[in-house]
Amino acid sequence: QSALTQPPSASGSPGQSVTISCTGTSSDVGGYDFVSWYQHHPGKAPKLIIYEVIKRPSGVPDRFSGSKSGNTASLTVSGLQFEDEADYYCMSYAGNNDLVFGGGTKVTVL
Amino acid sequence: QLQLQESGPGLVKPSETLSLTCTISGDSITSSLYFWVWIRQPPGKGLEWIGNLFYSGNTYYNSSFTSRVTISVDPSKTQFSLKLSSMTAADTALYFCARYRRLADYIDHWGQGTLVTVSS
């Protein structure tokens, strides 16, 4: 399966919002409500921030929100903080116990 | 608190087989709620799913690796392993082990990753 498509970079000033898209196909993103998002600070373990498209794990600030329309899922980070500067990856279930990741988006807080 | 720790050689020669181990603490590999997963990240690139393991030994692999990958559970049930044969420079990557929640399909815990370089 092909990787999901994410923009390589996104940026915003503190307090602003940034939205990252994750585009797949009807065989993955569009076919299942099993899209998750991960925050990765290099050198650390990636962290789950959104699962099942819109759900937030306990402890994840409500500044992080997810959505999906058709074959494209999105992650929005509202009220950007310097600590949000990281790489963000989407992942989707792709049927038959397959998983597929996005290429990652580097978020810079200006 | 679940912790996952990858271990193995940091340097592998071309054509050799990579062997990595993931040690689990704070949970049991025998839980039917989870798969145990290997994922990698080549330098400067995104994440790539390698395969899933169920505690019973059932495995599911990315078709890109099927011919040369084996993921297995240690009899101790506290570790699982990755073997990737015929290594090339393209397999140079940060390798992560992780726990994957079945039926909700997300990864809830990751190791910090171990860097594997393929070079003669």
Side-chain angles (χ1 to χ4, degrees):
Chain A
Q1 64 277 46
S2 299
L4 306 176
T5 300
Q6 295 182 236
S9 63
S11 62
S13 299
Q16 290 186 331
S17 295
V18 64
T19 297
I20 303 166
S21 61
C22 169
T23 301
T25 69
S26 58
S27 296
D28 38 62
V29 174
Y32 306 93
D33 285 334
F34 293 131
V35 176
S36 50
W37 290 88
Y38 304 88
Q39 178 189 64
H40 186 208
H41 290 103
K44 295 189 175 182
K47 176 186 176 183
L48 174 69
I49 53 173
I50 295 288
Y51 67 100
E52 291 182 311
V53 179
I54 61 171
K55 297 179 180 179
R56 269 190 318 276
S58 173
V60 173
D62 60 6
R63 303 185 291 103
F64 294 90
S65 62
S67 63
K68 191 183 85 165
S69 177
N71 296 336
T72 297
S74 298
L75 171 73
T76 297
V77 186
S78 306
L80 268 175
Q81 299 183 5
F82 286 113
E83 67 204 52
D84 299 331
E85 187 162 294
D87 298 321
Y88 291 82
Y89 293 92
C90 60
M91 184 187 84
S92 177
Y93 181 70
N96 296 316
N97 291 296
D98 283 353
L99 301 175
V100 61
F101 283 96
T105 298
K106 182 177 180 60
V107 169
T108 301
V109 182
L110 303 171
Chain B
Q1 177 73 0
L2 173 67
Q3 289 190 320
L4 302 168
Q5 181 65 60
E6 305 88 350
S7 59
L11 181 64
V12 176
K13 289 183 168 56
S15 80
E16 290 188 342
T17 295
L18 170 67
S19 293
L20 294 177
T21 297
C22 181
T23 300
I24 303 165
S25 56
D27 191 19
S28 170
I29 201 171
T30 59
S31 172
S32 62
L33 291 176
Y34 301 102
F35 283 133
W36 302 89
V37 189
W38 285 99
I39 291 154
R40 74 180 189 180
Q41 182 181 30
K45 296 188 178 181
L47 299 170
E48 185 174 30
W49 170 65
I50 300 172
N52 293 349
L53 169 74
F54 193 54
Y55 77 93
S56 62
N58 287 357
T59 52
Y60 308 91
Y61 298 135
N62 184 327
S63 58
S64 299
F65 298 98
T66 303
S67 62
R68 60 189 187 103
V69 67
T70 302
I71 298 175
S72 59
V73 59
D74 184 87
S76 69
K77 303 293 189 188
T78 62
Q79 295 180 327
F80 64 104
S81 66
L82 168 72
K83 292 189 188 303
L84 190 61
S85 64
S86 304
M87 294 283 283
T88 71
D91 294 310
T92 293
L94 187 60
Y95 287 77
F96 295 96
C97 63
R99 189 179 78 172
Y100 172 79
R101 181 65 162 87
R102 296 176 59 237
L103 304 178
D105 300 289
Y106 59 86
I107 295 171
D108 64 354
H109 282 88
W110 299 68
Q112 289 203 316
T114 186
L115 180 62
V116 176
T117 301
V118 182
S119 175
S120 54

